[in-house]
């Protein structure tokens, strides 16, 4: 009679800390996240509600629903006032074109640089990557004066092209660092197969590696667009002509006039015009952004 050896069941993995039993640290973390989320939702509600109110309603009933302009049949009066008085129409077009051009240029420059640092065996690639990572930690406020002096010498102050160069230069370190994670995660076998077929490194990059890193490219494109859309300090420093104002720069100029005329409803509506488009874009593409960031960082 043959004996059948019983097979041991696989050992179950240990549950994550705090997944079953009560964890004080987890409770504190969830409480902090919940309070932070509730605070931001409250601020967002106040911003949207106040943009439809009169100045009297803003101060007397800050968290109530707007009534006066709706009763008069002019619910979008504040938005119309901000759009016309601040010149947001032209500034909106300038901002869209500038941000789109900058985001595309940043990705076009950063992708080959990240590929060369991670896949081509460049001598000193690790050191260069570390230098780029250090560049991410340098506050751009510390280099505003040198940048202004340098652009003034080549007559690019008060110029959208000069601001374009500044935006691209200051955004490249983060984008290169982001894309290096994606290119490192790609399998080496694809490059080896392309080399056996006689493909050059340039052809391998454009035909094989670049399409595979599409998620990282889109993530970098979106994050740069969101960051540059709301940028204010550099546009204040480098732009003085009203015809070249971005939305954030136009809003800064509009702040003085609206405050002087006590048009706080129009001012808050202007803030909503600047903030809400990128907020909606982030909400719509949040899953893609988070997936792209975790994919690049996890492999």
């Amino acid at each position: 009679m043959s004996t059948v050896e019983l097979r041991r069941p696989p050992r179950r993995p240990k549950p994550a800390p705090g997944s079953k039993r009560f964890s004080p640290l987890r409770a504190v973390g969830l409480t902090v996240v919940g309070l932070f989320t509730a605070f931001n939702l409250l601020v967002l509600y106040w911003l949207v509600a106040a943009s439809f109110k009169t100045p009297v309603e803003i101060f007397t009933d800050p968290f109530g629903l707007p009534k006066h302009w709706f009763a008069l049949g002019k619910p979008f009066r504040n938005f119309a006032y901000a759009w016309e008085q601040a010149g947001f129409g032209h500034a909106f077009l300038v901002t869209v074109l500038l941000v789109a051009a900058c985001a595309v240029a940043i990705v076009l420059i950063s992708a080959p640089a990240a590929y060369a640092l991670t896949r081509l065996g460049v001598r000193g690639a690790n050191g260069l990557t570390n230098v780029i990572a250090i560049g991410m930690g340098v506050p751009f406020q510390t280099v505003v004066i040198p940048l202004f002096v340098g652009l003034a010498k080549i007559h690019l102050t008060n110029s959208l092209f000069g601001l374009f160069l500044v935006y691209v230069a200051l955004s490249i370190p983060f984008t290169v660092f982001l894309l290096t994670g994606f290119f490192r995660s790609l399998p080496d076998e694809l490059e080896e197969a392309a080399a056996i077929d006689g493909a050059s490194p340039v052809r391998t990059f454009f035909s094989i590696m670049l399409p595979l890193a599409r998620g990282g490219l889109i993530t970098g494109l979106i994050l740069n667009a969101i960051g540059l859309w709301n940028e204010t300090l550099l546009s204040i420093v480098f732009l003085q002509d009203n015809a070249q104002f971005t939305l954030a720069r136009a809003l800064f100029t509009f702040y003085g006039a609206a405050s002087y005329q006590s048009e706080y409803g129009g001012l808050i509506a202007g803030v909503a015009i600047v903030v809400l488009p990128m907020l909606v874009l982030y909400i719509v593409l949040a899953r893609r952004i988070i997936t792209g960031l975790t994919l690049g960082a996890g492999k």
Side-chain angles (χ1 to χ4, degrees), residues 95 98-99 102 140-141 144 147 163-164 166-168 170-171 223-239 245-252 274-275 278:
T95 304
L98 178 63
V99 169
C102 289
F140 69 87
Q141 293 88 346
V144 167
L147 284 174
L163 187 61
F164 167 83
V166 173
Y167 280 170
V168 172
L170 294 179
S171 302
L223 291 177
N224 280 298
I226 293 175
L228 295 177
W229 180 274
N230 295 321
E231 197 286 317
T232 306
L233 176 61
L234 295 175
S235 60
I236 292 175
V237 173
F238 291 100
L239 298 179
F245 279 0
T246 61
L247 269 177
R249 181 67 176 89
L251 177 63
F252 181 81
V274 176
V275 172
M278 288 300 106

Side-chain angles (χ1 to χ4, degrees), residues 7-282:
R7 184 177 180 182
R8 291 184 178 181
R11 184 169 60 90
R12 293 182 179 180
K14 293 182 179 180
S19 59
K20 288 187 176 181
R21 291 183 295 179
F22 175 77
S23 173
L25 185 61
R26 185 166 182 252
V28 172
L30 291 176
T31 303
V32 172
V33 172
L35 292 175
F36 182 74
T37 303
F39 174 76
N40 281 276
L41 290 176
L42 181 63
V43 172
L44 178 61
Y45 163 77
W46 178 86
L47 174 67
V48 175
S51 62
F52 292 95
K53 294 180 179 181
T54 62
V56 175
E57 289 179 303
I58 293 174
F59 290 103
T60 59
D61 190 13
F63 295 102
L65 295 175
K67 300 175 183 177
H68 182 76
W69 293 125
F70 283 87
L72 295 179
K74 301 177 181 179
F76 297 101
R77 182 265 178 194
N78 290 335
F79 288 91
Y81 177 84
W83 190 269
E84 295 171 0
Q85 297 298 321
F88 277 174
H90 181 72
F92 187 88
L93 179 61
V94 170
T95 304
V96 169
L97 295 177
L98 178 63
V99 169
C102 289
V104 172
I106 291 165
V107 172
L108 289 178
I109 296 172
S110 301
Y115 177 73
L117 291 173
T118 55
R119 313 293 298 195
L120 296 184
V122 178
R123 181 177 297 179
N126 292 332
L128 290 175
T129 305
N130 293 333
V131 170
I132 292 174
I134 294 173
M136 292 171 51
V138 178
F140 69 87
Q141 293 88 346
T142 61
V143 297
V144 167
I145 295 178
L147 284 174
F148 184 85
V149 173
L151 290 180
K153 291 182 178 179
I154 57 177
H155 307 289
L156 283 181
T157 55
N158 194 27
S159 167
L160 286 175
F161 181 69
L163 187 61
F164 167 83
L165 294 179
V166 173
Y167 280 170
V168 172
L170 294 179
S171 302
I172 284 178
F174 164 75
T175 312
V176 171
F177 187 78
L178 174 69
L179 294 180
T180 52
F182 285 89
F183 285 112
R184 283 199 185 99
S185 67
L186 300 179
D188 298 333
E189 291 78 5
L190 296 175
E191 285 181 300
E192 295 173 357
I196 293 174
D197 291 338
S200 64
V202 175
R203 183 179 178 184
T204 302
F205 170 70
F206 284 103
S207 301
I208 299 175
M209 309 306 286
L210 202 58
L212 292 176
R214 182 173 61 252
L217 300 178
I218 296 175
T219 301
L221 197 71
I222 296 172
L223 291 177
N224 280 298
I226 293 175
L228 295 177
W229 180 274
N230 295 321
E231 197 286 317
T232 306
L233 176 61
L234 295 175
S235 60
I236 292 175
V237 173
F238 291 100
L239 298 179
Q240 292 84 39
D241 189 0
N242 293 343
Q244 302 186 36
F245 279 0
T246 61
L247 269 177
R249 181 67 176 89
L251 177 63
F252 181 81
T253 303
F254 178 58
Y255 170 77
S259 299
Y260 179 76
Q261 300 174 2
S262 299
E263 278 288 348
Y264 297 107
L267 178 61
I268 296 175
V271 175
I273 292 174
V274 176
V275 172
L276 292 182
M278 288 300 106
L279 178 62
V280 173
L281 178 65
Y282 181 82

